[in-house]
């Protein structure tokens, strides 16, 4: 395996671990995880969580520091996630009337910090 391929494999594992930690953080807050790693033509949703009428679409970022993870979600990341949300909702029409929130789950080491309502659609 090349060095480049090894880095990609490590990054993939690290990302999956971060998503698993974030999913548990939401479960501990009483959320049900509806979907993970949903891919659509416009982008990807790391986590979809629901609690009552609230539907949360989560961008998970793992960095060495929590602040770095929070600031790693760019305008372009947000637009791609929003595009993927449209596809996800089209496949789950019974949930289109839910209240929707966009969160960032920042992961550093084993620590997860959730930035609730990190942005509004179109911002």
């Amino acid at each position: 395996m090349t060095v480049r391929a090894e880095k990609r494999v490590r990054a993939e594992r690290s990302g999956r671990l971060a998503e698993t930690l974030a999913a548990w953080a939401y479960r501990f807050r009483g959320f049900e995880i509806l979907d993970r790693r949903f891919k659509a033509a416009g982008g990807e949703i790391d986590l979809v969580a629901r609690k009552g009428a609230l539907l949360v679409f989560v961008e998970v970022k793992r960095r060495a520091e929590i602040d770095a993870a929070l600031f790693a979600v760019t305008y372009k990341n947000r637009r791609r996630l929003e595009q993927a949300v449209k596809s996800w909702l089209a496949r789950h029409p019974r949930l289109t009337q839910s209240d929707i929130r966009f969160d960032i789950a920042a992961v550093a080491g084993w620590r997860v910090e959730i930035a609730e309502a990190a942005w509004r659609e179109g911002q």
Side-chain angles (χ1 to χ4, degrees):
M1 186 178 295
T2 66
V3 172
R4 191 176 195 182
E6 287 177 19
K7 282 185 178 181
R8 195 174 319 121
V9 167
R10 276 193 305 251
E12 175 74 17
R13 285 184 187 145
S14 178
R16 285 189 184 272
L17 175 60
E19 290 167 3
T20 298
L21 293 171
W24 279 107
Y26 278 92
R27 284 184 186 106
F28 287 137
R29 288 172 172 80
F31 284 85
E32 172 188 8
I33 303 301
L34 300 181
D35 212 340
R36 288 180 67 168
R37 297 189 139 219
F38 174 80
K39 290 180 181 13
E44 179 181 324
I45 305 167
D46 294 328
L47 293 175
V48 181
R50 182 177 69 179
K51 185 177 186 180
L54 177 62
L55 199 54
V56 180
F57 296 94
V58 184
E59 178 69 15
V60 178
K61 288 291 183 188
R62 182 181 189 118
R63 298 289 188 273
E65 302 290 330
I66 290 290
D67 286 345
L70 289 169
F71 289 112
V73 180
T74 65
Y75 178 82
K76 191 175 181 179
N77 294 130
R78 295 191 307 258
R79 295 295 76 76
R80 286 181 175 165
L81 183 115
E82 290 171 14
Q83 283 303 113
V85 166
K86 291 175 185 173
S87 295
W88 193 91
L89 287 171
R91 294 180 185 189
H92 301 86
R94 63 181 173 72
L95 296 173
T96 58
Q97 297 305 311
S98 301
D99 295 324
I100 293 175
R101 187 174 85 193
F102 296 97
D103 288 2
I104 299 170
V107 180
W110 295 98
R111 189 169 148 229
V112 178
E113 188 170 311
I114 295 172
E116 295 181 2
W119 77 90
R120 291 192 186 129
E121 188 172 5
Q123 289 184 329

